[in-house]
Amino acid sequence: AQSVTQLDSQVPVFEEAPVELRCNYSSSVSVYLFWYVQYPNQGLQLLLKYLSGSTLVESINGFEAEFNKSQTSFHLRKPSVHISDTAEYFCAVRITGGSYIPTFGRGTSLIVHP
Amino acid sequence: SQTIHQWPATLVQPVGSPLSLECTVEGTSNPNLYWYRQAAGRGLQLLFYSVGIGQISSEVPQNLSASRPQDRQFILSSKKLLLSDSGFYLCAWSATGGYAPLHFGNGTRLTVT
């Protein structure tokens, strides 16, 4: 079975600073990888996904994530954060050709200070 | 485009009362449907998922149940709520295929008093 580990439960950072939210997974088969963002009292929104091809994927609001197969990681980065990026971020994995059930990490709370 | 509707947004219910949360999806057919619960400060707990009408799989034994009476309708129910049922309930859908991401509704904040 696959699993997802988000190493940091909370990441405080100052506005305009860079940030990295870490995600590691374990799986014996190939995977699809996702990052979701959740603002307070809202549902999760898809931020970006890796299905195949280029290992670097980008979102429309400046986030990017890189799939590293050897490290089994899919870390999320942004070079300069805004106050509005304050939210909960979830990493998720689905195995290829298999279960309907994605596995989510426990989430990382990104707190951007002015 | 596809949309997902979940209601109500908030709900306060006494212990022992029944529960019915509804979720509908528009703009797609034969979606996979999911119910998740999110306790305060914690991650997502998958409660139920469905790959078709009348097909429900339960991930966690508890006093909740789910039904899928129509292709794009998913209902979460309880006959008697417990205090521990309080939480943020999220409905989600996905296309079939492991590559498909989940799309979430806006959630229902349930407080059992």
Side-chain angles (χ1 to χ4, degrees), chain B residues 5-82:
Chain B
H5 303 280
Q6 186 181 342
W7 69 92
T10 60
L11 192 59
V12 180
Q13 293 283 99
V15 168
S17 64
L19 173 73
S20 180
L21 302 181
E22 189 162 342
C23 173
T24 59
V25 181
E26 296 177 357
T28 187
S29 59
N30 196 31
N32 294 333
L33 296 172
Y34 310 81
W35 278 112
Y36 284 88
R37 179 168 60 199
Q38 191 175 26
R42 302 187 67 178
L44 296 166
Q45 179 187 32
L46 179 64
L47 302 175
F48 302 94
Y49 70 95
S50 170
V51 300
I53 295 175
Q55 300 179 60
I56 309 294
S57 296
S58 173
E59 290 294 300
V60 182
Q62 55 207 329
N63 69 321
L64 298 173
S65 62
S67 62
R68 185 171 177 172
Q70 300 181 43
D71 181 44
R72 290 168 290 178
Q73 184 184 27
F74 206 23
I75 298 172
L76 182 69
S77 303
S78 174
K79 292 181 179 178
K80 288 186 177 181
L81 284 168
L82 307 173

Side-chain angles (χ1 to χ4, degrees), chain A residues 3-12 19-25 33-36 63-66 71-78 88-92 104-110:
Chain A
S3 66
V4 178
T5 303
Q6 291 186 244
L7 297 164
D8 305 297
S9 60
Q10 200 172 85
V11 174
V19 70
E20 178 179 81
L21 306 184
R22 296 179 292 171
C23 173
N24 287 88
Y25 69 93
L33 295 158
F34 308 87
W35 274 101
Y36 294 84
F63 282 95
E64 64 179 30
E66 186 162 19
Q71 305 269 344
T72 61
S73 67
F74 191 53
H75 301 332
L76 182 70
R77 303 185 185 95
K78 189 170 185 179
E88 193 82 14
Y89 291 81
F90 292 91
C91 181
F104 283 85
R106 292 183 61 84
T108 297
S109 179
L110 175 62

Side-chain angles (χ1 to χ4, degrees), chain A residues 32 36 38 41 43 94 100-101, chain B residues 34 38 49 98 100 102 105 109:
Chain A
Y32 302 116
Y36 294 84
Q38 183 182 30
N41 295 311
R94 296 184 84 167
Y100 303 103
I101 311 302
Chain B
Y34 310 81
Q38 191 175 26
Y49 70 95
L102 268 61
R109 175 76 58 192

Side-chain angles (χ1 to χ4, degrees), chain A residues 40-112:
Chain A
N41 295 311
Q42 294 186 26
L44 281 70
Q45 301 171 34
L46 180 67
L47 190 58
L48 44 76
K49 61 186 177 185
Y50 170 78
L51 304 181
S52 65
S54 173
T55 57
L56 184 65
V57 291
E58 299 177 353
S59 71
I60 58 173
N61 58 354
F63 282 95
E64 64 179 30
E66 186 162 19
F67 170 54
N68 188 319
K69 188 174 182 179
S70 63
Q71 305 269 344
T72 61
S73 67
F74 191 53
H75 301 332
L76 182 70
R77 303 185 185 95
K78 189 170 185 179
S80 176
V81 295
H82 303 292
I83 296 288
S84 58
D85 292 324
T86 295
E88 193 82 14
Y89 291 81
F90 292 91
C91 181
V93 62
R94 296 184 84 167
I95 60 173
T96 62
S99 168
Y100 303 103
I101 311 302
T103 299
F104 283 85
R106 292 183 61 84
T108 297
S109 179
L110 175 62
I111 302 170
V112 181

